[in-house]
Amino acid sequence: MKKYSTLFLAASVTFALGGCASTTDNTSTTATASPVPSVQQAVTPEVEMPTAVQNGKITLKQVMADPQWMGALPTDMGWSVDGSKIVFEREKQDSALSDVYIADINTPNEAVKAPLSDLHKYRFDERVVRNDGVIAFAFEDSVFIQFTNGKTVQLTRGGNSLSNLSFMTDGRLMALSGNRFVAINLETGTREELLSWEFADEPKAVEPAEDYIAQEQHTLIQYIALQRKNRQEKEDAEQALAQSNVSVAPAPFYFDKSHRLAGISVSPAGNYAVVATTESKPSRDDSDIMPHYIQEDSRIAAKSVRQRVADAEPVNHELWLLNLKTGEKSALNYFSLPGYNDDVLASVKTENAKANGESYEVNRLPRPITLLQSWYWTKPSIRWHKNGEAVAVMLEAWDNKDRWIATVNLENKSLENQHRLHDDAWVNYRFNAFDWLNNSETLYFQSEHSGYAHLYLQTPGEKPVALTSGQYIVDDITLSPDDNYLYFKANIEHPGLYEIYRADLSDKSIETMTDLNGMTDYVLSPDGSQLVLSHSKVNKPAELYVKPAQEAVAAAQITQSTSDTFNALPWAVPKVVAIPSSHTDAPIYARVYLPENYDSKTSNKAVVFNHGAGYLQNAHLGWSGYFREYMFQSMLVQQGYVVLDMDYRASAGYGRDWRTAIYRQMGTPEVQDLRDGVNWLVDNANVDRARIGTYGGSYGGFLTFMSMFTAPDLFAAGAALRPVTDWAHYNTPYTANILNTPDIDPIAYERSSPIYFAEGLQKPLLINAPMVDDNVFFHDTVRLVQRLIELEKENFETAIYPVEPHGFVQPSSWLDEYRRIYKLFEENL
């Protein structure tokens, strides 16, 4: 039974985002539309009340101190190699290092530090299991084998490292070692090279004559002809020996010497490999540097940084099928992929050409295509079935408009498309889980084609079958070892409430695994019998829980980590409100923090916090990743401020249309939503429209600029922290999704970059900029400040932080930054 009042349902109904049609099935409670709630009707999250609440005063000095004062919080939960121990880490007191803790599944409350001598059993890098239960795992530069009798043997220690561990169909361990794959017989220790490769011209015993006089030499001089004959015979004999004698390593495969490896995977049967290569060229220029002023030697260091999107060039991967038995190398072309040569940006190019007085003709040349390798998705994009007879690849267009899942026809040496996901804006980089079921040649994968990220099964050649559907997102997919279930995290009941579920693959039903009411993550035990959980409330950091992987069994808490000091302070409990939008049918979910007597006759001052990342969710019912900001906002509430924290359009958790509303117009929908939020504060929280400030970092800093520059009536003051000022200087993977690239779509960059709107500044503005930020460069702030100077603006200040990266590290910097923000609000609100 949920611990919310019936008003919870009023707040959790209609959250359809735009025009995506999606039906509700047995995975979601049917609800009917109701009016968007007022403050009194908002969701009040279930919270844990402090154990010793005192009339304590929240101070900046306290909340910006080293977070260790909050307690020894558990992180990096997981399982031991054998699955008998719960594993997690806690930061050491007065140290940046962490200790590893282990707890027996039968006595989970009795966690102890893991001995250093056994650390490899708990913090391993890779783990694979053979059909008979033998386990191979890697730790640092070593590989270990755990046999079914419990005995563990160290296979390697140092030397050439082994990675990409997997078991072959014949029981041998396969691993990547440098530029080769090897197979190791664990019973005999025999090691066989399966595949090696080189990026070089393939050596030839006899080169053809380059010109007339060389040809003449070969014909006239018998000595030359004999030497060429001898070399050719020797090479033929060596190749024949390598192909017919297992005692000789096979010849390497050769690839274009101007290329590099982009991806590789070998069949568990050891007979084929799929390889992706790409042109090897620098990813950055010599001018891509950042000065670092505070050094041990008191000199200035030039640190290398990433390339700007303005300098990005298209990338294409060449895909190859290698026959390891015959040495044949076959190109896998992309012609079978639907839309591979669509000019998906034709309308964008036409608009930009027209703005320049030019015209554009549709171009049907093949698009650059790569293995899916986004900065967020780091798992392999080439997946062999464990039987070694089927392989699937996940590919993406470099223009970010298409993603394909294709299988490889090993006989015809061709790709066969199974699923195309197309988006006129951009394909989401987050929802890309895919793999084979263990016991059948059936794929499972995520797709956002319905408008929300959902889970699908597909037998190659047939249509996908939806396992989930509705106006919610499914993420963090895990297949159970027995192939019976797919576990996942989802916000089925409310956009800001995440629980753990599983899909029963036999009858396609959805089972609820947790009922904790907040933000919950999980790791399934290796045998599929247990779940270790991380769960938080809005006013309480995550603690660990454990439960059997059964629907009806409750979770048991196993850590209690927050300090007495933290527990004693009166942290605010924000309500989650659905604010009506004037630009979309969906509401804008937001956290609203209300002080005592907020509805008295005296009107309130308010602050609007803008979360970073753009595609991030903060108006949820768990502990925020912006925990310092949460504590700062609790302090403001204690002093009589109202605080609003909105999941403006572009935020995560609300489906595809909400995400892509900012396509080619970053800063426009979000500021519209901020205006709706300000209007709501005035109408519902007794806020004085003339006394509202705003602040945020990174994307939140960008939104502070855009609101202060393009809607100067909206806020009385603003603080922009580590802010983006010109998107052409940001990175390619993130920015090109939303704005394409500057050479193709300058219109999008100029309508989305604050530096073009700086003349609109009228109210006090604070800019806080870290100087060694390799994410949003300090250069962004420098250029904008110069622009403001040239525009003769007087009401701005800049604070610089010489040793700080994008995410501040030093407590003194955090304190200085937030003292300035607080002072800005106190003086202007």
Side-chain angles (χ1 to χ4, degrees):
M1 185 70 177
K2 291 293 178 193
K3 305 174 183 66
Y4 297 107
S5 69
T6 55
L7 294 177
F8 172 85
L9 289 177
S12 65
V13 296
T14 315
F15 47 96
L17 309 179
C20 279
S22 189
T23 57
T24 302
D25 61 6
N26 62 354
T27 63
S28 179
T29 302
T30 302
T32 56
S34 72
V36 175
S38 66
V39 170
Q40 291 76 17
Q41 294 175 306
V43 175
T44 301
E46 181 191 88
V47 298
E48 293 188 10
M49 296 307 296
T51 55
V53 173
Q54 304 170 358
N55 293 323
K57 183 179 180 181
I58 303 173
T59 67
L60 276 177
K61 183 91 172 168
Q62 182 70 76
V63 301
M64 297 301 160
D66 188 310
Q68 287 192 346
W69 75 270
M70 298 165 57
L73 306 178
T75 62
D76 298 318
M77 65 182 179
W79 296 90
S80 60
V81 166
D82 63 6
S84 66
K85 299 285 194 299
I86 299 166
V87 183
F88 60 94
E89 295 184 14
R90 279 180 164 142
E91 201 172 60
K92 294 182 179 181
Q93 189 64 35
D94 300 322
S95 173
L97 302 178
S98 295
D99 286 318
V100 177
Y101 285 79
I102 55 175
D104 191 277
I105 191 64
N106 297 314
T107 53
N109 294 307
E110 301 174 9
V112 297
K113 288 184 184 180
L116 284 177
S117 58
D118 288 338
L119 203 58
H120 58 288
K121 300 178 181 177
Y122 310 115
R123 294 284 83 172
F124 48 89
D125 302 307
E126 295 184 60
R127 178 187 181 276
V128 293
V129 184
R130 200 163 67 180
N131 290 338
D132 61 357
V134 172
I135 300 171
F137 61 99
F139 174 78
E140 299 289 340
D141 60 356
S142 301
V143 173
F144 298 82
I145 307 298
Q146 186 177 90
F147 292 95
T148 53
N149 60 7
K151 182 179 179 181
T152 299
V153 174
Q154 187 164 2
L155 185 66
T156 67
R157 183 177 184 182
N160 292 331
S161 63
L162 300 180
S163 61
N164 289 39
L165 305 181
S166 63
F167 278 108
M168 301 179 67
T169 54
D170 61 10
R172 290 183 295 170
L173 178 67
M174 181 164 55
L176 174 65
S177 179
N179 69 327
R180 63 199 68 233
F181 272 88
V182 297
I184 305 170
N185 188 310
L186 299 183
E187 282 67 39
T188 66
T190 304
R191 176 171 170 149
E192 177 190 351
E193 181 178 302
L194 300 172
L195 163 68
S196 66
W197 61 91
E198 294 184 20
F199 289 94
D201 292 331
E202 184 174 358
K204 295 181 179 179
V206 175
E207 296 286 353
E210 293 183 3
D211 52 24
Y212 171 75
I213 61 173
Q215 185 176 3
E216 189 179 38
Q217 184 82 339
H218 299 171
T219 304
L220 295 175
I221 307 300
Q222 293 184 7
Y223 168 79
I224 296 296
L226 179 61
Q227 294 299 312
R228 287 169 59 83
K229 175 178 176 293
N230 290 343
R231 292 202 307 271
Q232 185 64 59
E233 288 179 349
K234 182 179 179 182
E235 182 183 274
D236 293 343
E238 289 174 349
Q239 290 184 355
L241 180 64
Q243 291 180 9
S244 62
N245 194 315
V246 295
S247 65
V248 178
F253 286 86
Y254 289 88
F255 296 94
D256 190 325
K257 63 182 178 182
S258 68
H259 280 214
R260 61 174 175 81
L261 191 69
I264 185 168
S265 185
V266 178
S267 164
N271 52 351
Y272 285 98
V274 174
V275 176
T277 70
T278 189
E279 187 177 353
S280 182
K281 52 187 177 181
S283 61
R284 52 177 298 279
D285 188 79
D286 291 341
S287 63
D288 292 327
I289 58 172
M290 174 179 63
H292 195 332
Y293 291 92
I294 308 299
Q295 297 292 308
E296 290 185 13
D297 62 3
S298 198
R299 268 63 175 182
I300 300 173
K303 302 289 186 182
S304 298
V305 291
R306 49 102 178 137
Q307 185 185 63
R308 291 164 172 80
V309 65
D311 299 324
E313 296 180 0
V315 175
N316 184 71
H317 290 174
E318 294 183 2
L319 204 61
W320 303 89
L321 176 65
L322 309 184
N323 187 320
L324 305 190
K325 301 301 182 185
T326 66
E328 182 183 8
K329 183 177 73 170
S330 305
L332 297 171
N333 65 56
Y334 301 130
F335 301 158
S336 62
L337 301 179
Y340 82 97
N341 65 341
D342 286 355
D343 192 352
V344 295
L345 286 167
S347 61
V348 170
K349 294 173 182 176
T350 299
E351 180 186 349
N352 279 273
K354 185 177 180 181
N356 292 325
E358 302 170 352
S359 60
Y360 175 76
E361 294 184 4
V362 172
N363 184 340
R364 298 285 292 181
L365 290 176
R367 300 150 70 189
I369 293 174
T370 69
L371 289 180
L372 194 142
Q373 295 179 320
S374 74
W375 59 271
Y376 188 92
W377 174 255
T378 58
K379 295 181 180 179
S381 292
I382 307 171
R383 298 295 180 92
W384 286 92
H385 191 278
K386 63 185 299 184
N387 65 17
E389 297 175 2
V391 61
V393 294
M394 182 172 279
L395 302 161
E396 64 177 341
W398 193 79
D399 55 40
N400 309 303
K401 312 300 182 190
D402 278 286
R403 186 202 75 185
W404 298 271
I405 299 175
T407 52
V408 180
N409 187 314
L410 300 179
E411 291 186 5
N412 296 337
K413 308 175 187 63
S414 61
L415 293 176
E416 296 180 348
N417 180 66
Q418 302 301 330
H419 184 264
R420 177 192 183 189
L421 175 61
H422 175 80
D423 197 308
D424 288 339
W426 75 92
V427 172
N428 197 331
Y429 51 77
R430 183 174 295 184
F431 303 118
N432 292 302
F434 90 111
D435 210 338
W436 299 93
L437 298 184
N438 289 315
N439 300 318
S440 66
E441 288 189 12
T442 300
L443 290 162
Y444 66 86
F445 61 90
Q446 283 174 291
S447 176
E448 210 182 27
H449 66 257
S450 71
Y452 293 83
H454 281 295
L455 187 56
Y456 298 85
L457 289 179
Q458 182 176 4
T459 300
E462 300 180 7
K463 291 184 178 180
V465 176
L467 292 176
T468 61
S469 62
Q471 296 172 349
Y472 60 90
I473 64 168
V474 168
D475 202 7
D476 194 12
I477 316 300
T478 305
L479 176 65
S480 64
D482 58 12
D483 253 14
N484 289 337
Y485 302 101
L486 279 166
Y487 288 80
F488 58 90
K489 177 175 74 171
N491 57 350
I492 293 177
E493 297 185 36
H494 182 277
L497 190 156
Y498 286 83
E499 302 285 6
I500 309 306
Y501 303 86
R502 71 182 182 188
D504 188 322
L505 300 187
S506 62
D507 60 12
K508 310 300 186 292
S509 63
I510 304 299
E511 300 175 2
T512 302
M513 291 289 101
T514 64
D515 185 23
L516 294 171
N517 300 319
M519 181 66 71
T520 307
D521 290 283
Y522 78 101
V523 179
L524 184 67
S525 64
D527 65 358
S529 67
Q530 300 284 332
L531 294 167
V532 60
L533 308 165
S534 174
H535 174 76
S536 66
K537 309 290 187 186
V538 289
N539 67 337
K540 198 77 170 176
E543 300 286 1
L544 301 187
Y545 294 69
V546 67
K547 63 159 289 179
Q550 300 172 22
E551 187 174 17
V553 182
Q557 186 170 342
I558 61 176
T559 62
Q560 186 67 50
S561 309
T562 49
S563 67
D564 291 341
T565 302
F566 178 89
N567 293 336
L569 290 171
W571 303 114
V573 179
K575 297 176 181 291
V576 177
V577 175
I579 294 175
S581 168
S582 57
H583 293 83
T584 176
D585 292 336
I588 311 159
Y589 283 87
R591 288 183 174 190
V592 59
Y593 299 70
L594 299 171
E596 292 183 8
N597 303 318
Y598 75 93
D599 53 353
S600 66
K601 293 183 179 180
T602 303
S603 60
N604 299 304
K605 54 192 173 183
V607 167
V608 176
F609 170 63
N610 306 312
H611 70 69
Y615 192 58
L616 177 146
Q617 186 175 12
N618 209 43
H620 54 71
L621 306 182
W623 183 250
S624 174
Y626 290 96
F627 64 92
R628 289 184 181 87
E629 288 77 1
Y630 164 77
M631 293 189 288
F632 174 57
Q633 285 151 200
S634 291
M635 186 196 83
L636 292 178
V637 169
Q638 194 178 48
Q639 296 182 24
Y641 285 79
V642 173
V643 179
L644 186 69
D645 176 359
M646 303 185 75
D647 276 344
Y648 49 79
R649 275 174 288 171
S651 297
Y654 305 94
R656 180 265 173 197
D657 286 1
W658 200 256
R659 170 178 66 82
T660 62
I662 60 169
Y663 179 54
R664 303 188 67 225
Q665 56 172 359
M666 295 168 81
T668 297
E670 307 96 303
V671 173
Q672 293 169 348
D673 293 345
L674 291 176
R675 185 173 294 281
D676 286 337
V678 165
N679 291 339
W680 187 92
L681 288 175
V682 173
D683 295 340
N684 294 276
N686 193 28
V687 167
D688 181 351
R689 188 181 295 274
R691 293 197 299 150
I692 306 175
T694 188
Y695 84 105
S698 193
Y699 199 96
F702 153 73
L703 285 187
T704 297
F705 280 149
M706 290 299 277
S707 59
M708 298 291 287
F709 294 170
T710 67
D713 64 312
L714 199 53
F715 297 113
L721 325 175
R722 49 196 182 276
V724 175
T725 67
D726 187 343
W727 287 108
H729 290 262
Y730 198 54
N731 68 35
T732 304
Y734 180 87
T735 318
N737 278 325
I738 306 168
L739 302 179
N740 304 308
T741 54
D743 60 318
I744 289 175
D745 199 1
I747 288 175
Y749 282 80
E750 291 166 18
R751 70 162 63 115
S752 302
S753 296
I755 199 167
Y756 291 97
F757 303 97
E759 67 273 9
L761 179 64
Q762 298 178 15
K763 306 288 180 59
L765 172 66
L766 171 65
I767 306 171
N768 288 351
M771 294 182 69
V772 288
D773 188 341
D774 61 0
N775 183 7
V776 178
F777 297 153
F778 182 62
H779 187 230
D780 269 61
T781 294
V782 171
R783 293 178 69 240
L784 180 69
V785 167
Q786 180 61 25
R787 180 95 171 104
L788 293 171
I789 291 170
E790 292 175 357
L791 289 166
E792 299 182 3
K793 298 295 181 180
E794 301 179 40
N795 47 358
F796 73 94
E797 293 183 354
T798 307
I800 61 173
Y801 297 88
V803 301
E804 294 298 346
H806 192 64
F808 280 23
V809 176
Q810 302 302 319
S812 56
S813 299
W814 280 106
L815 180 60
D816 182 89
E817 179 176 52
Y818 275 79
R819 278 176 171 166
R820 294 175 187 274
I821 298 168
Y822 178 64
K823 181 181 179 182
L824 178 77
F825 294 152
E826 284 290 281
E827 289 180 347
N828 292 283
L829 305 186

